[in-house]
Amino acid sequence: MYHPEQKQVIVKNSLGVSYHIFYEAGRGLCVRMLGESGIWSRGYVLTDKSVNDFSVILDQDDIFHFVFQSTEGQILYGHGKHGQIEIQTVLTSKDTTPWMKHVSLTLHKNVILLFYLIRYQKKYLLSMQTIKDTAFSKPTAIDYTDGAGKNYHVVIDQTGQCRLFYTNNEGPVKRLYQRLYNEETELFSAPERLVSSEHEVLLYAAIGLDNRTHLLYQVSSENLYQLFYRRNDGISECLYKGTSPPGYAGLVYHSGILRLFRISSDCIYARTSGDDGENWTDEALVPLGTGTSLTCFNYFTNYFKEQELSCHELPGTFTKGYQLAFVHNEGAASPFNDLYPDGSRSRAPYSGGRKEHRAYEKSPESRNEIPDSSVL
């Protein structure tokens, strides 16, 4: 069943080789590779300390970077290539019982941005750290967000501008905010209000194209649900309106076509736009396999044939390796790749050279940093 909190992560390197990174109860965070025949290799354990709260990206050199929450509530970061991996503790926790912190990684030029939630004064505080050459900055608080869900999205547009979008539904006026990242100060700007409503605002998706961003959000009252698409010029258009929720929804841009999709009763419904959201087709059912349940995929690609792809989540299935809606799969590449350099046999990609470091977290000093009394 399609559910973002049960996501499956697929990353494809510059050679076109696909890897599936997933959480398995009793084993932890695992990885497997897709072979030429469309058959997955056996899964190998990256770390047995992880719970199902993780994020994975590839940098421009096809090096894996991943962050996860440990079984003791800590946040750890790992990276590796050619069978070598290092894992370091980013942030310790006073609460040793894990809860969903919605960790995520974003690559901004040569710096990795790490985001997560902490609990502070019975509220949820969106926080961040930077990672550069495996060195971590001090934790920095950004703003309070709505409850325990993942109510934020980070977007890097094609000009390199990093934008943070998040909602705040406290008080009589509900808001959707944007902040811009300053790479010199390594801080986000003051919040810019994009949407205000007397009804609850839920952010579904944000993607960046050129210097433009495209947002998808829901405004809901007791008996009415509306799904809005918002262009960079500030114009919002309602593309769904009904007495029942639209289901899970998202945006995908691929090869000049922008698509809005929603998942309801394990079916995909989509609208398309060929002019960057100026005009939309009517909603239509999208066929994707038969007799299989849809899966929520996070997809990250370095493959040159897929550089015109921008999305956060995609519906798909694990048929013939994997099939993604709206994206033509090029098929599995040769198993000669960065994690299996000899190509002669399958072996644990991250088994050798494993290191783990614990770093003492100093008390924050600036006004934006996480208060000492916060509890992860």
Side-chain angles (χ1 to χ4, degrees):
M1 182 177 181
Y2 189 95
H3 199 298
E5 291 193 2
Q6 302 298 325
K7 65 180 180 294
Q8 305 294 315
V9 177
I10 301 289
V11 297
K12 183 182 287 187
N13 68 15
S14 58
L15 299 176
V17 181
S18 295
Y19 298 91
H20 175 209
I21 298 91
F22 58 99
Y23 171 79
E24 183 176 323
R27 297 186 72 198
L29 194 60
C30 304
V31 60
R32 58 180 182 168
M33 185 192 74
L34 186 63
E36 282 187 304
S37 61
I39 303 299
W40 290 102
S41 69
R42 58 171 295 189
Y44 295 93
V45 176
L46 287 171
T47 173
D48 58 3
K49 297 180 179 180
S50 176
V51 297
N52 194 15
D53 185 9
F54 66 95
S55 177
V56 185
I57 60 173
L58 292 178
D59 66 18
Q60 61 271 19
D61 297 318
D62 288 338
I63 295 175
F64 277 64
H65 299 265
F66 58 97
V67 64
F68 61 94
Q69 182 183 175
S70 75
T71 53
E72 297 177 348
Q74 299 175 333
I75 295 177
L76 292 89
Y77 159 76
H79 68 284
K81 189 177 181 179
H82 295 308
Q84 304 293 317
I85 185 171
E86 293 187 4
I87 296 179
Q88 299 167 268
T89 299
V90 179
L91 200 64
T92 57
S93 177
K94 296 178 181 179
D95 185 355
T96 58
T97 302
W99 55 274
M100 199 69 178
K101 298 179 176 71
H102 295 285
V103 299
S104 69
L105 292 177
T106 298
L107 183 63
H108 182 247
K109 301 180 180 178
N110 63 337
V111 177
I112 295 174
L113 307 181
L114 164 62
F115 299 87
Y116 49 83
L117 299 183
I118 65 169
R119 287 193 291 230
Y120 179 64
Q121 295 181 346
K122 299 181 179 181
K123 295 182 180 180
Y124 293 88
L125 188 61
L126 177 60
S127 309
M128 69 165 291
Q129 292 177 248
T130 62
I131 306 173
K132 187 174 182 180
D133 298 327
T134 69
F136 308 116
S137 69
K138 295 179 179 179
T140 300
I142 299 174
D143 203 349
Y144 291 105
T145 61
D146 298 323
K150 187 178 185 298
N151 301 301
Y152 72 92
H153 287 278
V154 183
V155 171
I156 309 291
D157 65 31
Q158 293 177 0
T159 67
Q161 177 65 65
C162 177
R163 304 170 188 267
L164 168 67
F165 302 95
Y166 64 99
T167 56
N168 189 315
N169 283 299
E170 288 190 352
V173 180
K174 325 301 181 183
R175 298 178 176 91
L176 171 59
Y177 288 117
Q178 173 185 239
R179 290 179 184 244
L180 304 181
Y181 183 68
N182 185 319
E183 57 188 289
E184 294 183 1
T185 64
E186 297 185 343
L187 296 172
F188 280 93
S189 65
E192 174 190 357
R193 185 175 63 190
L194 301 180
V195 176
S196 296
S197 175
E198 61 179 356
H199 302 299
E200 182 182 35
V201 179
L202 177 63
L203 178 61
Y204 273 110
I207 60 175
L209 306 173
D210 297 327
N211 62 345
R212 305 184 303 277
T213 54
H214 303 257
L215 301 179
L216 185 65
Y217 65 93
Q218 175 185 286
V219 176
S220 59
S221 57
E222 184 176 354
N223 297 310
L224 182 63
Y225 297 86
Q226 298 179 86
L227 196 58
F228 288 93
Y229 161 76
R230 186 184 190 277
R231 298 198 302 268
N232 202 60
D233 56 12
I235 297 176
S236 292
E237 181 180 359
C238 181
L239 296 178
Y240 173 87
K241 186 175 183 180
T243 57
S244 58
Y248 298 107
L251 293 172
V252 179
Y253 176 85
H254 183 52
S255 300
I257 302 298
L258 181 64
R259 292 179 173 87
L260 182 157
F261 71 87
R262 65 184 188 91
I263 312 296
S264 180
S265 301
D266 227 21
C267 294
I268 307 173
Y269 301 91
R271 294 173 178 263
T272 62
S273 172
D275 52 11
D276 290 334
E278 292 284 343
N279 298 281
W280 292 88
T281 65
D282 292 335
E283 188 175 78
L285 181 65
V286 178
L288 184 67
T290 58
T292 56
S293 294
L294 293 175
T295 300
C296 177
F297 287 96
N298 281 165
Y299 187 63
F300 190 99
T301 180
N302 277 349
Y303 196 39
F304 73 97
K305 293 184 179 180
E306 297 176 345
Q307 292 310 296
E308 289 192 3
L309 172 66
S310 180
C311 63
H312 174 63
E313 293 170 348
L314 277 171
T317 68
F318 276 114
T319 56
K320 299 179 180 179
Y322 65 95
Q323 299 292 320
L324 302 176
F326 318 121
V327 178
H328 174 66
N329 288 5
E330 297 292 339
S334 166
F336 181 87
N337 57 83
D338 57 346
L339 291 182
Y340 300 83
D342 61 6
S344 61
R345 60 187 178 90
S346 296
R347 53 192 175 95
Y350 294 127
S351 59
R354 176 169 298 181
K355 300 178 182 178
E356 181 173 348
H357 307 275
R358 288 186 177 271
Y360 174 71
E361 181 191 352
K362 297 180 180 179
S363 299
E365 296 174 356
S366 77
R367 61 181 177 83
N368 285 334
E369 290 169 3
I370 295 175
D372 290 339
S373 59
S374 64
V375 177
L376 275 175

